[in-house]
Amino acid sequence: MKRILVTGGAGFVGSNLCARLVKDPENHVICLDNLFTGRMVNIESLLHLSNFEFVEHNVQQPIDLPVDQIYNAACPASPPAYQKSPTDTTKTCIFGVLNMLELAKKYGATMMQFSTSEVYGDPEVHPQVESYRGCVNPIGVRSCYDEGKRCAEALCFDYNREFGVKIKVIRIFNTYGPNMDPQDGRVVSNFIMQALRGEDLTVYGDGTQTRSFQYIDDLVEGIVRMMNDSRSDFLGPVNLGNPGEFTMLELAQKVLEKTGSKSKVVFRPLPGDDPTRRRADIALAKQELQGWSPAVALDEGLDKTIAYFKSLM
Ligand code: NAD
Ligand code: UDP
């Protein structure tokens, strides 16, 4: 039996990962979460399984659990959510990763850090390759998250060099899909909920900023391959994303077409330090993760996500 800890397991990405991991009867999955942005409804269907357990805990505090693998996903990811309590966000990034690295050190476990494309900040290199060191404002409204995640990466590599802890670092680009919180303020959930309710779609700035959107199943596949590739001692950091690049206006248009909504697009002020362009370079992931490549295009992923949000209404 492999004992696997998923921190942030009741959140969007964590719950999809837990659902994937419990399918293997050789896995015992411990989902740890303080429910800051996570929701019990995301793991409701797993709670009765004998190879799944839920532990309510804040990763800022140490915990002692014998484990073989740790997926450290605990951290709010939506800008409004992480900016609501910025100092707490930084504490979650830093104390959380320290506590998980200590746990990995104690039990010889592999610790995977869920890092982010935000470590590239407002990038001057396009698309973003892992060797690019980023352009991050160290004192802006996104810094609690961006610098917290950058420091967490540094801690992972220092624990590896200093103590030999087994680490894996992934940099996740904008991901969407079922189990997203309809209220959490990210663009895909906002646009779909607004369209379904017949409300105006709120485009921030002039809508020409870009993102590359990855469907959740593609991310989970990349995560699991990265953790379990026995042929390689590849530590990362590695980008996991979909290289398709869309403006927010294009996204709004797609959502309106797919939902058949009569909603209008309205423009709202651009939040501080909002990155202008973002696109994942995934050559390294393809090379190191046995040919991993995203399989779900934005159109298909949006259809599935719209169906999920409709089911909630
Ligand atoms: P989410 O907000 O849905 O999930 C985060 C989970 O962490 C929630 O369940 C929350 O309750 C939990 N959490 C937060 N602080 C905690 C703490 N102190 N102790 C215990 N649990 C805590 O966000 P998500 O989209 O699922 O993101 C998961 C991870 O992936 C995060 O680390 C995020 O930085 C990273 N990531 C996600 C994306 C994306 O597009 N979804 C992009 C880049 C990186
Ligand atoms: N955005 C928008 N309308 C919204 C929510 C977000 O236009 O209702 C924009 C936001 O300004 C950003 C992009 O969509 O340029 C992606 O935002 P999100 O919060 O999903 O992720 P992040 O900015 O962290 O990539």
Side-chain angles (χ1 to χ4, degrees), residues 8-14 32-39 57-60 72-77 92 114-117 145 149 172-175 184 186:
F12 160 51
V13 175
L32 181 154
D33 206 295
N34 71 347
L35 303 176
F36 179 67
T37 49
R39 298 175 304 148
H57 180 81
N58 188 330
V59 282
Q60 295 172 23
N72 188 33
C75 184
T92 293
F114 285 47
S115 192
T116 165
S117 52
Y145 182 77
K149 290 285 186 178
I172 305 170
F173 284 67
N174 295 64
T175 305
D184 90 355
R186 285 184 263 194

Side-chain angles (χ1 to χ4, degrees), residues 122-137:
D122 193 2
E124 311 117 310
V125 167
H126 200 75
Q128 289 79 57
V129 279
E130 290 83 350
S131 55
Y132 174 53
R133 293 180 185 178
C135 176
V136 173
N137 177 357

Side-chain angles (χ1 to χ4, degrees), residues 276-312:
T276 314
R277 290 181 82 187
R278 189 184 283 157
R279 182 171 154 207
D281 183 308
I282 56 167
L284 185 65
K286 283 182 169 170
Q287 178 192 305
E288 296 292 337
L289 305 179
Q290 308 138 55
W292 171 85
S293 186
V296 183
L298 183 58
D299 281 300
E300 185 188 350
L302 281 179
D303 288 339
K304 293 180 181 195
T305 310
I306 290 166
Y308 167 75
F309 283 122
K310 269 188 185 162
S311 75
L312 301 181

Side-chain angles (χ1 to χ4, degrees), residues 79-96:
Y82 68 67
Q83 290 171 20
K84 200 168 59 189
S85 329
T87 51
D88 197 64
T89 298
T90 306
K91 284 183 195 163
T92 293
C93 290
I94 308 303
F95 297 140

Side-chain angles (χ1 to χ4, degrees), residues 77-80 82-83 116-118 142 145-146 173-175 180 184-191 194 200-205 207-211 213 247-249 251 266 268-271 273-276 278:
S78 157
Y82 68 67
Q83 290 171 20
T116 165
S117 52
E118 283 287 314
R142 292 175 91 103
Y145 182 77
D146 297 12
F173 284 67
N174 295 64
T175 305
M180 283 188 100
D184 90 355
R186 285 184 263 194
V187 70
V188 174
S189 42
N190 270 10
F191 283 179
Q194 289 163 341
D200 295 341
L201 269 61
T202 52
V203 169
Y204 301 162
T208 57
Q209 70 272 35
T210 66
R211 296 291 186 272
F213 295 103
T247 67
M248 295 313 104
L249 278 175
L251 180 69
V266 294
R268 295 282 174 265
L270 190 68
D273 288 332
D274 202 284
T276 314
R278 189 184 283 157

Side-chain angles (χ1 to χ4, degrees), residues 21-312:
L21 294 172
V22 294
K23 284 189 187 150
D24 183 343
E26 289 304 309
N27 291 340
H28 183 85
V29 179
I30 306 162
C31 165
L32 181 154
D33 206 295
N34 71 347
L35 303 176
F36 179 67
T37 49
R39 298 175 304 148
M40 286 307 286
V41 66
N42 284 345
I43 52 168
E44 216 164 42
S45 63
L46 310 179
L47 288 169
H48 69 282
L49 299 174
S50 57
N51 67 339
F52 181 82
E53 62 183 291
F54 174 69
V55 178
E56 192 165 341
H57 180 81
N58 188 330
V59 282
Q60 295 172 23
Q61 307 301 326
I63 191 163
D64 191 354
L65 295 167
V67 286
D68 304 298
Q69 294 181 338
I70 303 167
Y71 293 92
N72 188 33
C75 184
S78 157
Y82 68 67
Q83 290 171 20
K84 200 168 59 189
S85 329
T87 51
D88 197 64
T89 298
T90 306
K91 284 183 195 163
T92 293
C93 290
I94 308 303
F95 297 140
V97 77
L98 278 170
N99 287 323
M100 291 308 120
L101 287 165
E102 283 295 323
L103 198 58
K105 186 174 159 207
K106 180 168 182 182
Y107 291 105
T110 303
M111 207 316 272
M112 179 184 285
Q113 173 60 11
F114 285 47
S115 192
T116 165
S117 52
E118 283 287 314
V119 300
Y120 303 120
D122 193 2
E124 311 117 310
V125 167
H126 200 75
Q128 289 79 57
V129 279
E130 290 83 350
S131 55
Y132 174 53
R133 293 180 185 178
C135 176
V136 173
N137 177 357
I139 57 167
V141 290
R142 292 175 91 103
S143 313
C144 58
Y145 182 77
D146 297 12
E147 297 291 15
K149 290 285 186 178
R150 285 170 68 96
C151 182
E153 286 198 12
L155 283 163
C156 289
F157 280 86
D158 281 335
Y159 263 70
N160 175 263
R161 286 184 287 252
E162 196 173 341
F163 308 116
V165 170
K166 291 180 269 178
I167 58 151
K168 303 266 180 185
V169 176
I170 54 168
R171 292 181 177 159
I172 305 170
F173 284 67
N174 295 64
T175 305
Y176 67 98
N179 291 8
M180 283 188 100
D181 182 344
Q183 319 283 356
D184 90 355
R186 285 184 263 194
V187 70
V188 174
S189 42
N190 270 10
F191 283 179
I192 295 177
M193 291 308 295
Q194 289 163 341
L196 293 178
R197 289 181 176 140
E199 297 165 3
D200 295 341
L201 269 61
T202 52
V203 169
Y204 301 162
D206 63 7
T208 57
Q209 70 272 35
T210 66
R211 296 291 186 272
S212 48
F213 295 103
Q214 162 176 239
Y215 189 64
I216 183 66
D217 291 357
D218 288 331
L219 173 64
V220 168
E221 181 61 31
I223 289 172
V224 172
R225 284 195 195 194
M226 178 70 175
M227 179 63 102
N228 295 299
D229 185 3
S230 55
R231 301 170 308 168
S232 141
D233 54 4
F234 175 61
L235 309 182
V238 63
N239 292 337
L240 292 177
N242 186 317
E245 184 182 357
F246 298 89
T247 67
M248 295 313 104
L249 278 175
E250 286 170 333
L251 180 69
Q253 206 48 51
K254 274 188 185 294
V255 170
L256 288 177
E257 279 163 24
K258 288 180 173 298
T259 53
S261 170
K262 299 275 173 291
S263 294
K264 295 195 307 293
V265 167
V266 294
F267 293 91
R268 295 282 174 265
L270 190 68
D273 288 332
D274 202 284
T276 314
R277 290 181 82 187
R278 189 184 283 157
R279 182 171 154 207
D281 183 308
I282 56 167
L284 185 65
K286 283 182 169 170
Q287 178 192 305
E288 296 292 337
L289 305 179
Q290 308 138 55
W292 171 85
S293 186
V296 183
L298 183 58
D299 281 300
E300 185 188 350
L302 281 179
D303 288 339
K304 293 180 181 195
T305 310
I306 290 166
Y308 167 75
F309 283 122
K310 269 188 185 162
S311 75
L312 301 181

